[in-house]
Amino acid sequence: MKATSNGSFQGENPLDYALPLIILQICLVVAFTRFLAFLLKPLRQPRVIAEIIGGVLLGPSALGRSERFLNTVFPKKSMTVLETLANIGLLFFLFLVGLELDIKSILRTGKKSLGIALAGITLPFALGIGTSFVLRSTVLKGANQAPLLVFMGVSLSITAFPVLARILAELKLLTTDLGRIAMSAAAVNDVAAWVLLALAIALSSSSSSLIAVWVLLSGAAFVLFAVFVIRPVLSLMARRSPEGEPVKELYVCITLSMVLAASFVTDTIGIHALFGAFVVGIIMPKEGPFAGVLIEKIEDMVSGLFLPLYFAASGLKTNVATIRGATSWGLLLLVILNACFGKIVGTVVVAWSCKVPLRESLALGFIMNTKGLVELIVLNIGKDRKVLNDQAFAILVLMALFTTFITTPILMAIYKPARKGVPYKHRTIQRKDTETEFRILACFHSTRNIPSLINLVESSRGRKRGKLCLYAMHLMELSERSSAIAMVQKARNNGLPFWDKKRDDRDYIVIAFEAYQQLSSVTVRPMTAISALSSIHEDICASAHRKRAALILLPFHKHQRLDGAMESLGHTFHLVNRRALQHAPCSVGIFVDRGLGGTTQVVASEVSYSVVVPFFGGLDDCEALAYGMRMAEHPGIKLTVVKFVAPKGTSLTFGSDAPGVISIDLLRGDNDQVGDDAIISDFKSIASKNQESITLEERLVESSQEIAGVLKSMNKCNLFLVGRMAPTAPLMDTKSAEYCSELGPVGCFLASSEFSTTASVVVLQQYNPTLNLHPLVEEEESDDANEVPDTPMGERAQ
């Protein structure tokens, strides 16, 4: 095929030329597999499942049954170009896989993980050898015995490390003990599988055993050359790429060229080009920014465009129609049973003998049964070397697809680790003992909110030094990139470091919070939550419980544009806040940021804010007032409390039946009106001692329009603190696009674009144990929850 056409106006068909045809193939494959991934997303399946299914459906098993489609889009004369491009993408993907595998960690693998890995290889390998005899006597008559034995053993014993990591991350198991064991065992399994595959290729490509020995010895010599010659060169380039400075383009070019050169050498030796790329990835130094820059340069292009081509090329070789008759279907069932039995039983027995609980052992068995890309590589090499025919190839592809597909649903059914925690006392801002430590879990999506967030926390410090502890949690979406797994591992459990691929952002975050900690008496603990946005609220709530927070500060899902209008970041961020409000183990504040204190952090001596608390009554308003009273202890804060009062015989709802309106009687018990009076009484007592900075105003209002007018007259203040479920009529149309139920009837009005361009808002919901019917953290039984200290010894160091 020629590369390019002269165009359809010249009477030429572009699909008869290599370049336009490969462009069409890439677009079709990527669009089709992404569509399937979207359909399978509710089932929480990894993208590799969609890519395998997409490849099979595009091949002769489904769409390819149409000769016209196959000859037009995937003609035989185009397969060389397609497979070459797919294999180049695969080379760089396996380089990335090697980058993810830390050989030092593998060498430090504990006896438990090593035993589980070996059991997960040996039993399936033995069953694979047995299966090879059955296949050779039925569908693979006349096949070469030695390479078939090894290929079948490898195909049944493989665990797909990248796919396993993705499933663990999706199910929030990556940083659990189970996840760590699985990742260590899978890493050992991955390396062992490549060694066995090298043996299988050497056997399949050699006509004599002597040549096979030479191939293996040459492969071993190449690995030694890579370790002692290539690695020092890579280390030198890594050392000359210090943190905070751009990596030289020459270094990136040299490294990528080394990947291709190493692939050429291993292909020349006879153990496939993929090994060279994988070895260079493994020996690559993991410390410093150099490896991260390489990942950023090639990951999206390789994973997004080229890798799906490999699945398409595999699918075009897979014809499910070749599985005909009772014998073929019986062989498929046998292969699936042997694959599952070997992996699961081998893993479970060893894990149980290592005193891993039975349920966790079962979960580990199913996790280790995950197949994926490496399985397809093995099968494709086997088919290319004539070890497998079309029927055996289709059987083994379906086996890989089935074993990976069942992993997530079975894992979710048999193992859902309970988040357990110790009960704690101070879950609200309003408390009797104001001398106790006040703990805030402040969440943020980007660097945009950090100055305002720090200024808000500084205002919350109160009189006593060292009585405020801030847990600053960076919320990051778990992306489809394989490098996201490394991010999750670096931010495991308490997520001590901030982690961001953009180093400038990460440095800015760290510097901002470290500077604030040094300048103030506030204890700052950085954290990172990396999860799917549909479930990141679980991380927020679990972390708040574990850290015994009294307040979770969440960023509003809208940010202010330069023209003052509020712009949404997306509906998914909106849902994160809603879910967090439903499941929070403590009080929650939603922070509508309009530049509190400007775009820079304000030092304590320069804090000068006017804070307004509209008070209608109820638990949430009491929480807002308690927060305001705490802020009023700061010498730079001027607090104004506006108590709204309705005429006698009426309520502040003014007869409204709009959605979101809650009467005071439903909001709290009949006898709890004392709570409102008590906190107002306390406030008056404090105000009498500090009349210059604290004022109380009572406003008699006869309609919601009057309430809105009073609030608008105060929109030049710096900050509003308002209860979420204030017992009043909504101050704006509930059908408006700007109305957000999580902000309540008053908060929505204060957060609207028309209200103000300068006044930030914190909408507070007080923790109510009677409404938290589905807590995400299961509290362990305790004789007296009050005996559990809020700040256990040792946590200061966490």
Side-chain angles (χ1 to χ4, degrees), residues 608-634:
S608 179
Y609 305 142
S610 59
V611 179
V612 174
V613 180
F615 189 85
F616 299 87
L619 290 171
D620 295 350
D621 276 24
C622 287
E623 191 76 347
L625 182 53
Y627 197 20
M629 290 162 65
R630 183 179 182 90
M631 283 188 172
E633 296 176 7
H634 197 292

Side-chain angles (χ1 to χ4, degrees), residues 264-278:
F264 173 78
V265 171
T266 51
D267 191 77
T268 304
I269 290 170
I271 52 171
H272 210 282
L274 303 177
F275 283 91
F278 184 66

Side-chain angles (χ1 to χ4, degrees), residues 73-124:
V73 182
F74 296 105
K76 286 185 178 180
K77 59 184 178 180
S78 73
M79 294 312 295
T80 302
V81 176
L82 176 67
E83 291 189 10
T84 302
L85 200 57
N87 276 281
I88 288 175
L90 190 62
L91 290 180
F92 286 110
F93 182 78
L94 288 173
F95 169 66
L96 293 175
V97 172
L99 272 178
E100 289 179 30
L101 288 175
D102 188 352
I103 204 71
K104 293 179 182 176
S105 299
I106 294 173
L107 293 174
R108 291 196 304 267
T109 300
K111 292 180 180 178
K112 186 188 294 185
S113 297
L114 187 61
I116 291 168
L118 292 176
I121 294 171
T122 50
L123 185 56

Side-chain angles (χ1 to χ4, degrees), residues 354-419:
C354 292
K355 298 182 180 178
V356 177
L358 183 59
R359 180 172 289 189
E360 290 191 14
S361 299
L362 274 171
L364 203 53
F366 280 100
I367 291 170
M368 296 299 289
N369 196 34
T370 305
K371 304 282 190 270
L373 176 65
V374 181
E375 176 78 9
L376 281 189
I377 292 170
V378 172
L379 300 182
N380 274 285
I381 293 173
K383 191 169 190 305
D384 292 342
R385 300 295 170 98
K386 310 296 184 186
V387 177
L388 303 174
N389 61 16
D390 290 348
Q391 194 171 354
F393 181 77
I395 287 171
L396 291 169
V397 167
L398 291 184
M399 177 273 292
L401 185 61
F402 177 81
T403 53
T404 308
F405 192 90
I406 64 171
T407 301
T408 300
I410 290 180
L411 201 55
M412 291 173 67
I414 66 172
Y415 184 74
K416 189 169 185 180
R419 297 175 183 265

